[in-house]
Every structure is written in C-alpha cells, then in structure tokens.
Amino acid sequence: MGNAQPKALKIPASLFSHLTPEQQGNPSLVTSANLVAAARAKNEFDKRPDPMAEMNRRQAEQQFDLGQEKIREAEVKNKKGQQLGEKAKSLATELLNHSGLDSSIGTIQGSWLGQNMTVDSDSQNFINKHNQLKSILTAENLDMMTGVLSETDIKILSDIAGGGLQLKGSEQAYRDELISMGGVLDNPLPAGSKDNGDGTFTMPNGLIVEKE
C-alpha cells in the first residue's frame, strides 16, 4: 500500500481570514499549530474597538471637554465681572465722600488744563481715583458684568461710560451719577434736603447748612 495522505484539518470559517495567504491558498498545509495561531490572532482582532464606536467615543469626549472649558470660561468671566462691579461701586463711594471732590469738579478745575496744573494732593488723588473708575467702564468690562449685575445697573454704567462722570460738569450731576452707580454717602443728608454742590445743603425749611 502507498503512503496515506494526511487528513486535512477542518478549518473553522471564523479562523480562515486569520490564516496566512499561503495557508488560505492551500488549506491542506494547515496544521493544528496554525489553527492555534489563527485563533490567537482572531482573539486579538476581536479585542480591538470598533472604529466607528471609537470615533464616536472620542467625539463625545471632545464635546464634553469643550463644554467643561466653556463652563470654566463662564465662571471666570462671571467672577471677574462681579469683582469689577464691586470695585466700581467701591470707587463710586470713595469719590462721593472724597475731600477732593469740591476742588476737582467744575468748568475750570475739571478741564484738562486744570487737572494738569493742580497742586492740591486731595484733588490729585481724587482725579486718580476718577480715572481708575472710568477705566473700569470699558465695553469689554461691561460685557463681563452683563449677567452678573442687573440690566438696570448695566444700563446706568453704559450710559455713564458713554459720556458721564465729566469733571467739567456740575458737582451735583457728578454726585448724582456716583449715587446711581451704587455710591453711598457716609453721612446721608436729612430727608428732603438738597445738596448745593458747594459743601453745603439746603434743609426742607430753606436753611442752608454746611456739611460736616
């Protein structure tokens, strides 16, 4: 009898694609060891994530990271807006009660020439704080304060930023704008009294009284 041909192994369909091209072309050459290697290759292949699922996962992570970044940016913006709003009110109160107010507001003293020629330290300090407050009222800063302050407050600040708080204007108008910004007088005038803008106020009975 001639030599018997080795019986070809039965190759599972699930493993066929993991055989080498030579083995796929001649299945009779496939051995048990080849099938074990093909099974290991299939196992590694099955562990790989689905490309579409992986892409969707990455997109979801990117969207989440983007959302978190926007939240952080909004939190930073709101915090800065709140700080700017509080600083503006604080400066308004400081200016309203500043000893240099009377000598810094007016047609002459509030002009560019008057500001640059002043030698009074109180007046110069007042002007510095005035400029600091004006520098807060920029379009960018007002945008940061939007959503933190009320719409009424934002409108008041926007109107003032657009041309208010003029040193060359009247003292009373300047005071009124500071009060509208949230400035608080340390010693409020008696009810019904009127500030005369010259360091005195008029009582309801018409008596003119000098401020303390």
Side-chain angles (χ1 to χ4, degrees), residues 67-107:
Q68 291 296 106
E69 182 64 23
K70 287 183 177 179
I71 290 174
R72 285 192 291 270
E73 289 177 356
E75 289 176 345
V76 170
K77 177 183 175 182
N78 287 344
K79 183 177 181 180
K80 188 170 183 180
Q82 184 175 5
Q83 291 173 340
L84 288 169
E86 291 173 353
K87 184 62 177 178
K89 288 184 178 181
S90 174
L91 283 170
T93 294
E94 285 187 57
L95 289 169
L96 192 59
N97 297 284
H98 202 288
S99 58
L101 189 151
D102 294 344
S103 60
S104 305
I105 308 296
T107 305

Side-chain angles (χ1 to χ4, degrees), residues 131-188:
N131 291 336
Q132 185 181 358
L133 176 56
K134 293 282 282 189
S135 70
I136 290 177
L137 304 179
T138 63
E140 181 181 358
N141 288 344
L142 288 172
D143 179 63
M144 288 187 185
M145 288 184 267
T146 301
V148 178
L149 304 183
S150 68
E151 291 184 9
T152 301
D153 287 341
I154 290 296
K155 185 177 185 310
I156 290 172
L157 294 179
S158 297
D159 290 344
I160 292 174
L165 283 183
Q166 293 297 319
L167 295 177
K168 292 190 296 182
S170 73
E171 183 178 330
Q172 187 59 51
Y174 192 93
R175 289 178 181 277
D176 289 343
E177 286 182 320
L178 291 175
I179 292 173
S180 71
M181 292 178 63
V184 179
L185 279 168
D186 290 340
N187 297 303

Side-chain angles (χ1 to χ4, degrees), residues 27-43:
S28 63
L29 298 178
V30 177
T31 65
S32 297
N34 297 146
L35 290 180
V36 171
R40 289 174 178 168
K42 178 181 182 301
N43 187 49

